[in-house]
């Protein structure tokens, strides 16, 4: 099969350089701060630096992904981040050592609760935790959870690798806090690829019709054009006729364009295209780098549906980089055997609380009603 060729040979504009951050202070205290996701633009550099030294890499919690989501997608509007800082809160020498996605659930007759945040677009929900300070940072997270949500409840983290370093470290740390850790496997989505012989036959058929090549965008300009090709292929098929194509959703297409541009600068977003002569017939967008990446979006031209161009493209990508695994939503690999998908970790604690008196409940109810009736409307965000 064809090997990778570049659409262009030069790299686009590079990401802004990170500031010189102080090294970790092993003996300094770690404290938590709860902050709205949309208010975290000011810590973008510290956030990106943490992502580069995380216990487990997660492209879905890179600032380029999460900040684009909060700008364009309604479901991310109420998302928050628990930020774990090491050092004096009033000092510029503090360092970000942890970041956990969450949201505050407002309740009328009970205390607010802090819950984990999950969204189908977050293919990987693993928090960013400094690999050199994993245990102290997770201790601070559990204390912060208790501080920001005083009632007995469960905090869930979705999209976690059961065999990963984060899950093992969290289970060990939680035991010391009297927190029970539960596990619920997710239903991983599998993609049934056609047999190798059928892919080879389709490859031969297409090569009889013209020049078949696998292309990958290598700079920002061509990456932008490749995104538009992917969107156009999808919109030309049945999803477009049903009005469900990404290109027909202002918010989704705005997010995809912004996210792919920002992650592309860090080489965390790659777009491969299968080209027959000069016509693109399949496209796949993946997130992440290293030994594995996530298939975020893939489409094939339905005019060639009988030849299954998308499976052919994925097989060619695999042959061009055999050491790199492609993960599907749910964490199952596209190639190779792994039965256990990613799952959901549930943290449960049961603090002792005295029963509230009727007068206290009445005061609490009045406060909640006032907040519900006079809550200011959020500013509009263009899609």
């Amino acid at each position: 099969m064809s090997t990778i060729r570049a659409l262009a040979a030069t790299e686009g504009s590079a990401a802004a350089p990170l500031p010189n951050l102080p090294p970790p202070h092993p003996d300094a205290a770690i404290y938590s701060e709860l902050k709205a996701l949309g208010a975290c633009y000011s810590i973008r550099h510290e956030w990106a630096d943490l992502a580069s030294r995380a216990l487990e890499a997660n492209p879905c919690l890179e600032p380029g992904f999460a900040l684009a989501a909060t700008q364009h997608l309604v479901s991310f509007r109420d998302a928050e981040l628990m930020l774990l800082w090491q050092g004096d809160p009033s000092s510029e020498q503090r360092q970000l050592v942890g970041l956990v996605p969450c949201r505050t659930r407002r309740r009328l007759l009970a205390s607010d609760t802090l819950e984990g945040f999950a969204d189908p677009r977050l293919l990987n929900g693993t928090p960013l935790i400094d690999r050199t300070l994993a245990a102290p940072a997770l201790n601070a997270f559990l204390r912060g959870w208790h501080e920001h949500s005083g009632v007995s409840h469960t905090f869930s983290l979705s999209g976690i690798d059961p065999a990963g370093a984060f899950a093992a470290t969290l289970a060990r740390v939680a035991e010391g806090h009297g927190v029970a850790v539960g596990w619920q496997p997710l239903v991983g989505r599998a993609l049934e690829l056609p047999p190798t012989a059928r892919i080879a036959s389709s490859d031969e058929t297409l090569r009889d019709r013209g020049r078949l090549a696998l292309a990958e965008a290598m700079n920002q300009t061509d990456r932008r054009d490749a995104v538009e090709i992917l969107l156009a292929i999808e919109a030309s098929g049945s999803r477009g006729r049903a009005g469900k194509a990404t290109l027909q959703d202002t918010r989704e297409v705005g997010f995809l364009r912004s996210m792919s541009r920002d992650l592309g600068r860090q080489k965390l977003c790659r777009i491969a295209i299968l080209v027959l002569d000069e016509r693109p017939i399949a496209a796949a967008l993946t997130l992440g780098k290293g030994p594995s990446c996530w298939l975020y979006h893939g489409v094939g031209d339905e005019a060639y549906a009988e030849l299954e161009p998308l499976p052919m493209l994925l097989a060619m990508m695999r042959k061009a980089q055999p050491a790199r695994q492609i993960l599907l939503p749910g964490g199952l690999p596209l190639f190779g055997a792994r039965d256990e998908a990613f799952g959901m970790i549930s943290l449960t604690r049961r603090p002792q609380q005295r029963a509230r008196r009727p007068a206290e409940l009445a005061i609490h109810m009045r406060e909640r009603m006032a907040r519900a009736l006079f809550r200011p409307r959020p500013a509009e965000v263009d899609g």
Side-chain angles (χ1 to χ4, degrees):
M1 291 184 181
S2 175
T3 57
I4 288 278
R5 70 176 178 85
L7 292 178
T10 57
E11 180 61 29
S13 57
L18 292 175
N20 293 324
L21 296 175
H25 303 285
D27 297 329
I30 299 176
Y31 68 95
S32 64
E33 174 190 13
L34 201 60
K35 196 167 187 176
L37 174 58
C40 290
Y41 285 88
S42 61
I43 62 162
R44 187 182 184 111
H45 292 310
E46 293 91 335
W47 183 349
D49 181 66
L50 170 63
S52 70
R53 50 188 166 83
L55 185 64
E56 288 187 42
N58 182 358
C60 297
L61 280 186
E62 290 276 348
F65 186 104
L67 292 176
T70 195
Q71 180 183 4
H72 293 284
L73 303 175
V74 174
S75 60
F76 281 76
R77 296 279 177 84
D78 63 345
E80 298 171 289
L81 296 178
M82 182 185 290
L83 306 172
L84 306 173
W85 297 94
Q86 186 182 43
D88 187 344
S90 62
S91 171
E92 295 182 356
Q93 300 302 307
R94 68 178 185 171
Q95 184 167 356
L96 188 63
V97 297
L99 181 150
V100 184
C102 55
R103 61 158 43 113
T104 301
R105 183 74 64 184
R106 310 291 180 184
R107 301 182 185 277
L108 183 62
L109 299 177
S111 299
D112 295 344
T113 58
L114 189 66
E115 302 176 353
F117 176 77
D119 185 272
R121 302 170 191 85
L122 290 174
L123 305 182
N124 185 351
T126 307
L128 300 179
I129 303 294
D130 189 322
R131 70 173 71 95
T132 64
L133 296 163
L138 288 174
N139 274 302
F141 157 64
L142 293 173
R143 290 195 303 269
W145 169 36
H146 179 80
E147 174 188 344
H148 293 290
S149 186
V151 300
S152 176
H153 71 295
T154 298
F155 189 100
S156 298
L157 295 165
S158 186
I160 307 298
D161 183 356
F166 171 78
T169 307
L170 179 60
R172 186 173 65 251
V173 171
E175 185 177 359
H177 286 259
V179 173
V181 178
W183 176 259
Q184 179 182 350
L186 299 177
V187 178
R189 192 183 79 187
L191 179 62
E192 294 295 333
L193 290 176
T196 303
R198 199 162 84 206
I199 291 180
S201 175
S202 296
D203 179 81
E204 184 177 350
T205 301
L206 285 172
R207 289 183 189 280
D208 289 340
R209 299 185 184 183
R211 182 174 180 272
L212 191 66
L214 177 62
E216 182 180 348
M218 299 300 289
N219 64 40
Q220 284 294 78
T221 300
D222 289 330
R223 195 174 291 112
R224 178 199 62 200
D225 294 342
V227 167
E228 299 307 316
I229 289 172
L230 181 150
L231 293 169
I233 293 175
E234 182 191 40
S236 68
S238 56
R239 288 184 61 83
R241 292 190 292 274
K244 297 180 180 180
T246 305
L247 194 59
Q248 296 166 309
D249 188 320
T250 303
R251 298 192 183 280
E252 287 289 346
V253 74
F255 165 66
L256 187 65
R257 286 167 173 162
S258 178
M259 175 268 288
S260 61
R261 180 180 65 246
D262 289 348
L263 292 187
R265 294 193 183 101
Q266 302 169 261
K267 299 183 179 179
L268 288 168
C269 174
R270 305 175 70 172
I271 309 171
I273 300 175
L274 184 61
V275 181
L276 179 62
D277 286 336
E278 296 184 359
R279 176 173 177 170
I281 60 173
L285 186 153
T286 61
L287 303 178
K289 58 184 176 182
S292 63
C293 62
W294 293 86
L295 179 61
Y296 186 82
H297 198 10
V299 295
D301 189 336
E302 293 183 7
Y304 296 86
E306 74 282 359
L307 297 173
E308 299 171 295
L310 178 58
M312 186 184 304
L313 169 60
L314 296 172
M316 293 172 73
M317 292 168 64
R318 174 66 169 177
K319 185 173 183 179
Q321 295 181 308
R324 197 164 196 243
Q325 184 57 267
I326 300 175
L327 301 178
L328 299 169
L332 291 176
L334 180 60
F335 303 96
R338 173 177 168 166
D339 296 329
E340 191 174 19
F342 281 33
M344 178 182 294
I345 284 181
S346 298
L347 305 176
T348 306
R349 57 178 174 79
R350 302 182 183 279
Q352 296 296 324
Q353 291 186 331
R354 66 179 179 84
R356 291 193 175 189
R357 293 177 296 178
E360 292 175 324
L361 288 173
I363 293 172
H364 192 77
M365 185 171 66
R366 287 199 299 270
E367 292 175 351
R368 295 292 168 184
M369 292 179 65
R371 287 168 64 177
L373 291 173
F374 300 103
R375 183 179 301 168
R377 297 181 62 184
E380 291 293 329
V381 178
D382 295 332

